[in-house]
Amino acid sequence: DTEVTQTPKHLVMGMTNKKSLKCEQHMGHRAMYWYKQKAKKPPELMFVYSYEKLSINESVPSRFSPECPNSSLLNLHLHALQPEDSALYLCASSQESGASYEQYFGPGTRLTVT
Amino acid sequence: KNQVEQSPQSLIILEGKNCTLQCNYTVSPFSNLRWYKQDTGRGPVSLTIMTFSENTKSNGRYTATLDADTKQSSLHITASQLSDSASYICVVTPWSGGYNKLIFGAGTRLAVHP
């Protein structure tokens, strides 16, 4: 199983809503990542978890709150988002967080903030 | 200045034809260089991965080359199919002892027409 799954596929939320994105992998990977991708742009790294601990936060606003409840799951909690936060949110995982390990991407969640 | 530059930005070819996409990078030292295929609204899927000591890597109709001296890579697609229509992203991983931060190119958008 080399699949990273993400739910939901699409999400529309208002600026006052609270929602969560979910990511799951069963490859035994110990590093998991959140990326944000705007249209026609490359993905931008948001967070890195290694062994269920947050190791990197790329200066992401606090309205995005990541959580890693166990080694297979990664959540991204959303609160008080802005319309400019509308994007494709990608989750990825790798065996470890070192440079030589390949990252496997999920299909993404298309988020629209109204 | 982006450390990974791709050309062309977009390309249209007819089904069955070959094409070559270019990637120039300034990242140094680097651990590996990858080519990803990304369908619109989906997560990137790895096509090839090469370390700095490798010159070529094939995956079916996709062949990637790497010249570490000139810091150039290319992705050659043979006998294109309609399903090859996607963005192709060149990604370089800097050599570091830390986490696996990928440096993405802006991608080449390929359209294959019947």
Side-chain angles (χ1 to χ4, degrees), chain A residues 12-32:
Chain A
V12 179
M13 59 185 291
M15 290 188 283
T16 58
N17 291 159
K18 284 185 180 180
K19 297 287 185 183
S20 295
L21 310 184
K22 181 179 174 182
C23 173
E24 195 165 2
Q25 57 86 15
H26 295 286
M27 295 179 276
H29 289 175
R30 304 316 300 265
M32 296 186 76

Side-chain angles (χ1 to χ4, degrees), chain B residues 38-61:
Chain B
Q38 186 175 22
D39 293 312
T40 301
R42 306 286 293 176
V45 174
S46 178
L47 295 175
T48 63
I49 178 170
M50 292 180 289
T51 66
F52 62 89
S53 61
E54 294 180 289
N55 299 120
T56 187
K57 186 68 70 77
S58 290
N59 178 1
R61 295 180 296 104

Side-chain angles (χ1 to χ4, degrees), chain A residues 25-87:
Chain A
Q25 57 86 15
H26 295 286
M27 295 179 276
H29 289 175
R30 304 316 300 265
M32 296 186 76
Y33 311 79
W34 280 115
Y35 288 86
K36 172 183 177 181
Q37 187 177 24
K38 302 285 276 186
K40 299 184 180 181
K41 298 288 187 183
E44 298 174 5
L45 182 67
M46 299 174 72
F47 302 104
V48 180
Y49 272 83
S50 180
Y51 286 83
E52 301 158 50
K53 287 185 169 27
L54 181 65
S55 59
I56 298 292
N57 176 342
E58 291 283 311
S59 302
V60 178
S62 59
R63 57 186 185 269
F64 296 91
S65 175
E67 178 197 20
C68 190
N70 61 58
S71 59
S72 300
L73 280 176
L74 186 65
N75 298 322
L76 186 62
H77 302 298
L78 314 172
H79 173 55
L81 294 192
Q82 304 297 311
E84 58 265 29
D85 296 322
S86 298

Side-chain angles (χ1 to χ4, degrees), chain B residues 35 48 56-65 74-78:
Chain B
W35 283 92
T48 63
T56 187
K57 186 68 70 77
S58 290
N59 178 1
R61 295 180 296 104
Y62 301 102
T63 299
T65 64
S74 66
L75 180 70
H76 185 73
I77 304 175
T78 304

Side-chain angles (χ1 to χ4, degrees), chain B residues 12-67:
Chain B
I12 300 174
I13 62 173
L14 293 178
E15 187 179 12
K17 298 296 185 182
N18 304 335
C19 68
T20 300
L21 314 180
Q22 299 290 343
C23 173
N24 295 336
Y25 61 92
T26 59
V27 180
S28 183
F30 75 96
S31 175
N32 53 64
L33 184 147
R34 309 161 196 215
W35 283 92
Y36 282 91
K37 176 186 179 186
Q38 186 175 22
D39 293 312
T40 301
R42 306 286 293 176
V45 174
S46 178
L47 295 175
T48 63
I49 178 170
M50 292 180 289
T51 66
F52 62 89
S53 61
E54 294 180 289
N55 299 120
T56 187
K57 186 68 70 77
S58 290
N59 178 1
R61 295 180 296 104
Y62 301 102
T63 299
T65 64
L66 174 63
D67 186 334

